Amino acid sequence: SCPLSSRCCGPSSAGPAMNCRAEVLEVSVEGRQVEEAMLAVLHTVLLHRSTGKFHYKKEGTYSIGTVGTQDVDCDFIDFAYVRVSSEELDRALRKAVGEFKVRGKTGSMKGFKGKPNICKGPPGWSRGLVWFYQKKKSRWPFSDECIPWELWTIKVNVVNLANEQERQICREKVGEKLCEKIINIVEVMNRHEYLPKMPTQSEVDNVFDTSLKDVQPYLYKISYQITDSLGTSVTTTMRRLIKDTLAL
Amino acid sequence: MAHFETQYQRLESSSTESPPGGGDLLVHVPEGAKSPWHHIENLDLFFSRISFCRARNGFTCMLIGEIFELMQFIFVVAFTTFLISCVDYDILFANKALNHSQHPTEPIKVTLPDAFLPPNVCSARIQANSFLICILVIAGVFWIHRLVKFIYNICCYWEIHSFYINALKIPMSTLPYYTWQEVQARIVQIQKEHQICIHKKELTELDIYHRILRFKNYMVAMVNKSLLPIRFRLPLLGDTVFYTRGLKYNFELIFFWGPGSLFENEWSLKAEYKRAGNRLELAEKLSTRILWIGIANFLLCPLILIWQILYAFFSYTEILKREPGSLGARCWSLYGRCYLRHFNELDHELHSRLSKGYKPASKYMNCFISPLLTIVAKNVAFFAGSILAVLIALTIYDEDVLAVEHVLTTVTLLGVGITVCRSFIPDQHLVFCPEQLLRVILAHIHYMPDHWQGNAHRYETRDEFAQLFQYKAVFILEELLSPIITPLILIICLRPKSLDIVDFFRNFTVEVVGVGDTCSFAQMDVRQHGHPAWMSAGKTEASIYQQAEDGKTELSLMHFAITNPKWQPPRESTAFIGFLKERVHRDSSVALAQQAVLPENALFSSIQSLQSESEPHSLIANVIAGSSALGFHMSRDGQASRHLSEVASALRSFSPLQSAQQPSSGFQASGRDGEGAQPRGASAMTASGADARTVSSGSSAWEGQLQSMILSEYASTEMSLHALYMHELHKQHAQLEPERHTWHRRESDESGESAHEELDTQRGGPVPIPRSASYPFSSPRQPAEETATLQTGFQRRYGGITDPGTVHRAPSHFSRLPLGGWAEDGQSARHPEPVPEESSEDELPPQIHKV
């Protein structure tokens, strides 16, 4: 479920972490619009959370490479957005969104099969989560910690439309809605809140995802809400039990 | 460098732009990641560990202490095994002669090694004893568990250790001499630099406390609102409290972190519990969960029992060996710790407070030795003593007496017997005064039910106090019984309360930005949870369901403000503190006028001498003892309200005491003026004492650990005086409004004890105080006429202040009652019908505090 970071050590629990900003966006779209809507949101978030590649020099300074941007027109929505012009990043996001679509379908199927307790929202809802995190190197017995500092939850509600006319209206309405969301995102980004400090060369991997050639986003991870609350609670309980017996 | 395919093209080189690839590109310097303390994942745990590390005097002490405990455990087990299996007791007791064949005729000296069995025999004996092996295996598991725990904790606390050294800049060697407040101030400072919490720029003291005590605050609130089934009315034992560690563990498991608990994770309540819509469903779910956990407890009962016994054995045998008297010694019970704890009070604060109250508390309990037992004990001691005296005299004459079989044993047993008997004989030269003692206790423990006051000499009060302050032996016994009783309590008593519990968590959880979900009581907001009988009349908007009992909100607020003088309380709380301060001023001026009239009385000095031994710094003790002694003298004259002014004057007299310590501000009055000139005068602190502290902590002359220790001592004394003062005010209020008073403490009201008190209070006039035989009596003094007039004037004023707002409780408040009602439903005469909630209201999320 980790599209990019290969050794998946991301945030463990499904809920938001304790010391982590959380933003929630909700969109209602038609089935075929899901992919584009998600991409629009994800790309916008990542546009603001990416920098150019760092080039470290002597004396501990660095310069930042350039980042190109490009406009993307949507096919199914009356909407255009700006994204970082990095094919690699785009590919990664598309892959994640593709997975999301599959998951979302099975998820809603699960919801219909008479397990309404397990799905938190109504069956049409599915959530994509974008975590931004920092790695923290630990001493030997512990594995590296990944500490999330920002979480974007994108709730997508898939609606079914009856006829072409409704579809036309939806096309426009979704475009407007998305526009609002994008503005929301920009507002959040403008808020000068906590961002990891710029790292030194040795620590750049702890803050930024340096695997891409042309752009350097903050370390991020895309996942989907695991609504199986029972499963997670059992594991957290076990962890708590062990921790509790070990605590002084 | 990758090249981009973008639709935006770079501008052809303009004159201002530097040539690409040259050395003149914008150059940045990485700013951070030098310290690893930015943005810590689990702040709750982090802060708790910091606090714990300080309480255990730093990393090294913890490390060494743990290592020694591990070694001690091995020693105890190994030595016990050795004594059981490897010693030939026949040789030791000389029942069997040593078979040294060389010199059969010579008298043989038995040496210790002679009594030891050879190793092979020894190991064979151990292997033959299957029970011993079983115990050894369990002990081994126990030890390995502790070892793993030790290693894990060392790894965790190493991080804290380096945080202390690198970030807080406190070397470990000096950590024991730092107060928690200093450490906390540094953490607040660190936040500004490193942003360990990313939600807000600055941390407040309250944030840190909330994080450390998130769940404890909930438990305190639940005990305060009598939600947890820990008080029982048993057929033979009467009113009892059963609250053990096992039960507490189960409560926490159910509410906070068990499978399917109310909390989603360590810092947030599950979303469905925040909505009232499906509360019945959730209560149903909770009830079945409690059932399952109860059954699991039942099934695991034998295992837990064995564990408890072993644990008790290994933890207490050593203490018992060292001091057999410790079984008789009392300790504050788990319930007492919960009942007496303020909201937002850390373990070490509670501990030091209760430790200070220990001596007066045990003295108080010793007042109640039954005279019959005393007579029996005296006579037993007489007989035992005569035999002992004869034996000792004979031994002194000729020590061969000791060689006679069992003489030494007899002497020892008689000695122990006499010691036991003596503990039942009260000291002839001490005069006890239970009312006075209870007052001193109150100064430290800060909470007590209303009906204790004036009834301190009664056995019922003593019994109730024993619930807070129990015998250690009873404590151990309860712990051992706990595995059997806990599942019963869970299944029978806790399950019916599941709806109340769900309601409680919904109504009393607030989300604080940057902290997460906390108990709303812990906000110490007088407006939301104040109790009109505790001086927040007119300020509180709380319904009866929302009021914290026993003045918990008010006292907690005072306590927190006094212990954390730099904390800026919210507006309402500031107003409350300011109001209280004003009252103190006014009452003390009344008292000063009285003191001019009243000469020193004998009672004063006698109590002073009684107290001075129990208090480390008798100066402050005198303030407490003196004030309350005077206060008692007053109430004997029938004017209980003067208690108040006495305590107030003590509070006042306390502040020049401080300013005398402080060279900069000479006299109390000048100190007060200086406070007005301070920039932070708006956030008026409690009394001038607190102000003196903040001023002094700012001045350079007062920097230093010793000073801060002194200041924290003063803070605790100031809090003691405030507690006394607020209790006095409350008592007055209760006398003015007996109807409201009957609300207080549902369980205790059912006892005949408080009915008696109500009778008294309804009379409104002088309260006759019944006396015990040992009650001190001082010659009656008539107060001068002018004092009397002052007094009545004062009382009228007081009534005028408190009456409005409390006589008629607006009916709208009751709409905040939960559906299904609180447990007090049975008392329908006082309790209105629960108002059904609107569904639209239900969907509202709990209040969010933008902090």
Side-chain angles (χ1 to χ4, degrees):
Chain A
S1 67
C2 295
L4 280 178
S5 48
S6 51
R7 259 163 286 101
C8 169
C9 69
S12 50
S13 69
M18 181 188 292
N19 202 2
C20 172
R21 273 197 305 273
E23 310 287 344
V24 183
L25 302 168
E26 284 182 26
V27 281
S28 291
V29 291
E30 203 200 345
R32 53 183 185 159
Q33 294 170 332
V34 170
E35 192 168 350
E36 281 183 334
M38 280 291 284
L39 273 178
V41 175
L42 290 182
H43 265 305
T44 312
V45 171
L46 275 163
L47 172 71
H48 294 277
R49 289 280 178 250
S50 302
T51 65
K53 298 287 279 185
F54 283 7
H55 299 281
Y56 283 93
K57 318 213 157 174
K58 284 165 278 172
E59 302 121 27
T61 59
Y62 62 94
S63 61
I64 303 174
T66 49
V67 182
T69 52
Q70 74 184 59
D71 280 1
V72 181
D73 284 315
C74 297
D75 292 333
F76 302 106
I77 314 172
D78 279 348
F79 187 64
Y81 58 90
V82 183
R83 72 167 170 89
V84 175
S85 69
S86 158
E87 287 312 314
E88 274 181 281
L89 186 65
D90 188 46
R91 233 176 290 139
L93 291 186
R94 273 177 197 282
K95 194 178 152 210
V97 170
E99 236 174 282
F100 173 73
K101 264 176 84 180
V102 175
R103 289 277 193 105
K105 269 177 195 158
T106 53
S108 61
M109 286 298 282
K110 234 189 201 169
F112 280 124
K113 272 183 187 167
K115 280 187 178 177
N117 288 342
I118 288 175
C119 266
K120 272 182 188 162
W125 289 97
S126 39
R127 293 159 195 239
L129 308 172
V130 188
W131 302 87
F132 288 96
Y133 64 93
Q134 261 172 302
K135 273 194 223 164
K136 196 174 190 178
K137 291 261 184 293
S138 297
R139 222 165 269 95
W140 158 71
F142 303 105
S143 55
D144 284 2
E145 264 181 288
C146 292
I147 307 167
W149 50 271
E150 191 174 59
L151 164 69
W152 293 86
T153 308
I154 306 153
K155 286 186 180 176
V156 181
N157 182 24
V158 182
V159 293
N160 289 318
L161 297 177
N163 52 38
E164 194 57 35
Q165 198 190 352
E166 275 184 21
R167 250 171 228 155
Q168 275 306 319
I169 299 168
C170 179
R171 207 183 143 89
E172 284 171 27
K173 258 173 70 182
V174 169
E176 280 169 28
K177 278 275 168 211
L178 274 180
C179 196
E180 267 174 43
K181 297 298 162 200
I182 302 292
I183 290 170
N184 279 353
I185 294 173
V186 175
E187 273 170 6
V188 172
M189 297 295 180
N190 273 337
R191 260 192 240 147
H192 292 297
E193 281 176 313
Y194 174 84
L195 282 179
K197 289 186 177 160
M198 289 302 147
T200 53
Q201 187 159 16
S202 55
E203 282 159 340
V204 70
D205 285 336
N206 293 346
V207 178
F208 289 106
D209 182 356
T210 48
S211 62
L212 303 182
K213 257 185 261 147
D214 41 10
V215 67
Q216 184 176 284
Y218 283 100
L219 276 175
Y220 71 99
K221 184 189 144 184
I222 300 175
S223 61
Y224 315 102
Q225 183 82 315
I226 308 151
T227 41
D228 193 8
S229 60
L230 196 71
T232 55
S233 81
V234 167
T235 52
T236 49
T237 306
M238 286 315 290
R239 203 176 298 137
R240 249 327 276 274
L241 258 178
I242 292 167
K243 264 193 183 169
D244 224 63
T245 48
L246 290 182
L248 282 175
Chain B
M1 190 75 199
H3 79 284
F4 302 114
E5 275 182 39
T6 68
Q7 289 153 0
Y8 298 100
Q9 291 180 350
R10 176 180 282 164
L11 289 169
E12 290 311 316
S13 60
S14 64
S15 57
T16 53
E17 208 176 347
S18 53
D24 303 325
L25 278 174
L26 274 176
V27 171
H28 307 261
V29 180
E31 43 181 329
K34 274 171 199 138
S35 86
W37 308 115
H38 53 78
H39 162 230
I40 281 144
E41 187 176 24
N42 193 338
L43 274 175
D44 285 20
L45 204 60
F46 190 71
F47 287 149
S48 329
R49 281 183 179 155
I50 288 176
S51 161
F52 187 77
C53 193
R54 199 205 69 85
R56 292 280 304 265
N57 297 325
F59 184 74
T60 325
C61 290
M62 274 171 70
L63 184 78
I64 303 289
E66 287 290 308
I67 289 174
F68 273 116
E69 267 183 38
L70 283 172
M71 279 162 48
Q72 215 176 31
F73 187 85
I74 294 184
F75 176 78
V76 168
V77 173
F79 192 58
T80 317
T81 319
F82 175 80
L83 285 183
I84 290 172
S85 314
C86 300
V87 177
D88 194 343
Y89 287 97
D90 284 341
I91 291 179
L92 208 59
F93 298 148
N95 293 343
K96 185 171 83 178
L98 265 182
N99 45 353
H100 286 275
S101 48
Q102 300 101 321
H103 310 285
T105 49
E106 282 178 32
I108 306 154
K109 280 217 165 153
V110 181
T111 53
L112 267 184
D114 289 331
F116 299 158
L117 291 172
N120 51 346
V121 180
C122 191
S123 60
R125 275 181 71 168
I126 292 175
Q127 276 162 17
N129 192 344
S130 59
F131 177 72
L132 185 67
I133 286 183
C134 187
I135 295 285
L136 280 182
V137 166
I138 293 176
V141 171
F142 199 83
W143 190 79
I144 287 170
H145 166 246
R146 283 184 70 162
L147 183 70
V148 171
K149 195 167 138 174
F150 167 71
I151 293 169
Y152 173 82
N153 277 300
I154 290 307
C155 294
C156 291
Y157 281 95
W158 181 253
E159 193 194 3
I160 303 297
H161 173 238
S162 46
F163 180 75
Y164 264 114
I165 290 176
N166 299 326
L168 298 184
K169 305 266 187 296
I170 299 177
M172 275 294 145
S173 51
T174 57
L175 180 62
Y177 313 111
Y178 278 82
T179 59
W180 168 246
Q181 266 62 38
E182 281 174 303
V183 173
Q184 196 172 246
R186 293 203 183 202
I187 294 174
V188 171
Q189 195 60 40
I190 285 293
Q191 162 73 5
K192 285 176 193 153
E193 294 165 27
H194 299 281
Q195 258 202 325
I196 46 181
C197 171
I198 66 164
H199 287 284
K200 32 175 30 180
K201 283 268 186 295
E202 290 186 18
L203 277 176
T204 66
E205 286 83 359
L206 193 60
D207 288 344
I208 297 175
Y209 273 75
H210 272 163
R211 282 185 178 277
I212 297 175
L213 297 167
R214 194 189 300 271
F215 296 141
K216 283 188 179 144
N217 279 331
Y218 271 111
M219 293 304 273
V220 170
M222 280 194 278
V223 168
N224 183 262
K225 295 299 286 181
S226 315
L227 181 61
L228 295 179
I230 48 180
R231 300 180 74 96
F232 304 97
R233 194 164 273 278
L234 296 178
L236 277 178
L237 299 170
D239 209 6
T240 51
V241 168
F242 186 86
Y243 190 46
T244 58
R245 282 184 298 188
L247 192 58
K248 188 176 156 210
Y249 186 83
N250 271 292
F251 285 151
E252 285 169 355
L253 181 91
I254 289 166
F255 301 140
F256 302 130
W257 55 271
S261 63
L262 307 185
F263 271 74
E264 191 171 7
N265 38 44
E266 280 165 66
W267 57 92
S268 63
L269 193 66
K270 276 182 185 157
E272 62 253 41
Y273 285 95
K274 291 180 181 175
R275 285 188 292 268
N278 43 357
R279 51 193 282 282
L280 293 173
E281 223 175 276
L282 290 173
E284 189 77 12
K285 216 170 106 187
L286 182 65
S287 155
T288 45
R289 266 194 54 235
I290 294 171
L291 179 66
W292 281 114
I293 287 176
I295 289 172
N297 258 291
F298 213 73
L299 294 179
L300 293 177
C301 167
L303 267 181
I304 301 171
L305 195 64
I306 290 174
W307 179 265
Q308 286 272 19
I309 290 171
L310 280 177
Y311 192 86
F313 179 77
F314 288 129
S315 342
Y316 294 113
T317 39
E318 195 222 356
I319 300 172
L320 279 182
K321 260 184 297 172
R322 237 187 299 124
E323 34 178 341
S326 67
L327 256 192
R330 292 170 172 272
C331 61
W332 295 99
S333 70
L334 209 56
Y335 168 73
R337 281 168 185 279
C338 234
Y339 172 78
L340 299 175
R341 194 175 194 147
H342 291 293
F343 293 121
N344 299 316
E345 183 174 32
L346 287 176
D347 285 333
H348 72 267
E349 292 166 346
L350 177 74
H351 182 77
S352 69
R353 192 155 69 83
L354 292 186
S355 306
K356 279 177 196 159
Y358 187 90
K359 268 209 171 155
S362 46
K363 241 183 204 168
Y364 174 72
M365 294 309 272
N366 287 339
C367 291
F368 291 91
I369 293 168
S370 89
L372 184 69
L373 208 62
T374 308
I375 293 169
V376 171
K378 266 183 184 165
N379 284 292
V380 169
F382 169 73
F383 291 121
S386 6
I387 298 170
L388 186 66
V390 169
L391 281 178
I392 287 174
L394 285 175
T395 313
I396 290 168
Y397 180 68
D398 186 349
E399 60 184 303
D400 279 345
V401 177
L402 280 182
V404 178
E405 206 175 11
H406 297 315
V407 165
L408 201 60
T409 326
T410 320
V411 169
T412 319
L413 283 182
L414 287 174
V416 170
I418 290 171
T419 320
V420 170
C421 286
R422 197 175 287 160
S423 71
F424 290 107
I425 305 168
D427 192 339
Q428 286 179 1
H429 308 292
L430 262 186
V431 179
F432 288 114
C433 160
E435 199 73 42
Q436 163 64 29
L437 273 174
L438 204 61
R439 179 165 289 278
V440 177
I441 295 169
L442 176 65
H444 295 299
I445 67 176
H446 300 175
Y447 292 101
M448 72 172 51
D450 294 340
H451 59 272
W452 286 8
Q453 287 207 343
N455 291 311
H457 58 283
R458 295 192 151 224
Y459 220 79
E460 292 89 340
T461 310
R462 178 221 172 259
D463 282 347
E464 279 181 34
F465 188 65
Q467 290 170 357
L468 307 180
F469 194 62
Q470 62 186 173
Y471 279 116
K472 233 180 209 154
V474 175
F475 172 74
I476 295 172
L477 189 74
E478 278 185 356
E479 284 297 327
L480 291 182
L481 284 178
S482 152
I484 303 161
I485 299 178
T486 300
L488 295 178
I489 291 179
L490 289 182
I491 294 174
I492 299 169
C493 305
L494 188 65
R495 275 186 66 207
K497 293 208 166 194
S498 54
L499 187 61
D500 288 337
I501 292 167
V502 169
D503 284 334
F504 180 90
F505 276 95
R506 188 185 65 249
N507 288 323
F508 298 127
T509 297
V510 286
E511 192 183 331
V512 182
V513 173
V515 179
D517 289 343
T518 52
C519 184
S520 66
F521 284 107
Q523 295 280 332
M524 301 178 298
D525 189 347
V526 174
R527 193 164 51 89
Q528 276 183 26
H529 296 296
H531 198 299
W534 289 86
M535 276 157 301
S536 43
K539 295 182 193 64
T540 176
E541 294 168 11
S543 65
I544 286 166
Y545 176 61
Q546 288 169 319
Q547 289 162 4
E549 302 299 330
D550 298 318
K552 198 83 153 184
T553 315
E554 291 81 4
L555 281 163
S556 296
L557 177 64
M558 286 313 292
H559 177 259
F560 195 80
I562 288 175
T563 46
N564 296 285
K566 291 203 181 97
W567 177 60
Q568 308 263 328
R571 202 154 35 83
E572 292 86 8
S573 309
T574 317
F576 174 79
I577 294 171
F579 169 70
L580 189 69
K581 189 180 164 186
E582 187 193 319
R583 292 285 315 259
V584 170
H585 262 267
R586 213 174 47 212
D587 292 354
S588 63
S589 56
V590 173
L592 283 176
Q594 285 174 1
Q595 262 172 356
V597 179
L598 284 169
E600 288 279 313
N601 61 350
L603 184 65
F604 186 104
S605 48
S606 78
I607 283 160
Q608 202 168 317
S609 61
L610 179 76
Q611 284 313 307
S612 55
E613 54 157 335
S614 71
E615 289 293 313
H617 31 261
S618 54
L619 188 70
I620 291 164
N622 286 354
V623 175
I624 300 174
S627 71
S628 43
L630 277 174
F632 165 72
H633 177 73
M634 286 300 118
S635 75
R636 210 180 47 77
D637 288 341
Q639 280 155 328
S641 64
R642 282 202 210 158
H643 267 311
L644 253 185
S645 38
E646 297 306 333
V647 183
S649 77
L651 260 175
R652 264 282 279 266
S653 68
F654 175 64
S655 46
L657 210 153
Q658 272 194 335
S659 44
Q661 296 275 331
Q662 189 183 13
S664 56
S665 68
F667 190 61
Q668 172 202 0
S670 68
R672 274 170 205 279
D673 292 343
E675 164 221 324
Q678 272 183 77
R680 38 176 305 287
S683 72
M685 288 319 299
T686 56
S688 54
D691 289 316
R693 267 185 298 131
T694 43
V695 170
S696 59
S697 63
S699 70
S700 59
W702 274 68
E703 294 276 322
Q705 283 120 27
L706 187 65
Q707 265 73 10
S708 75
M709 290 278 183
I710 292 173
L711 291 176
S712 72
E713 282 303 311
Y714 277 118
S716 80
T717 312
E718 192 185 347
M719 183 58 212
S720 300
L721 290 171
H722 269 289
L724 285 176
Y725 181 72
M726 288 167 84
H727 271 273
E728 286 303 335
L729 273 183
H730 172 66
K731 197 168 143 199
Q732 279 202 344
H733 187 102
Q735 283 171 355
L736 288 176
E737 281 189 59
E739 307 94 80
R740 180 61 188 79
H741 177 55
T742 52
W743 274 97
H744 213 64
R745 278 277 138 193
R746 186 165 31 91
E747 292 93 339
S748 48
D749 276 358
E750 284 161 18
S751 70
E753 186 58 30
S754 66
H756 160 82
E757 196 196 31
E758 268 167 46
L759 240 163
D760 281 349
T761 51
Q762 255 151 10
R763 257 186 266 164
V767 185
I769 294 181
R771 290 191 191 91
S772 63
S774 59
Y775 221 55
F777 194 82
S778 68
S779 59
R781 270 170 218 280
Q782 290 302 320
E785 269 181 37
E786 45 183 321
T787 345
T789 51
L790 254 173
Q791 197 57 46
T792 47
F794 162 67
Q795 255 184 339
R796 205 179 305 130
R797 238 186 4 243
Y798 175 66
I801 288 167
T802 39
D803 269 356
T806 44
V807 177
H808 299 292
R809 307 191 53 76
S812 66
H813 290 303
F814 295 123
S815 63
R816 295 199 195 169
L817 282 170
L819 281 175
W822 193 235
E824 290 168 311
D825 258 357
Q827 308 178 336
S828 51
R830 301 170 192 160
H831 207 286
E833 286 290 305
V835 180
E837 283 179 52
E838 302 293 322
S839 59
S840 59
E841 259 181 35
D842 295 349
E843 294 309 318
L844 285 174
Q847 321 90 297
I848 291 180
H849 284 226
K850 293 281 176 203
V851 181

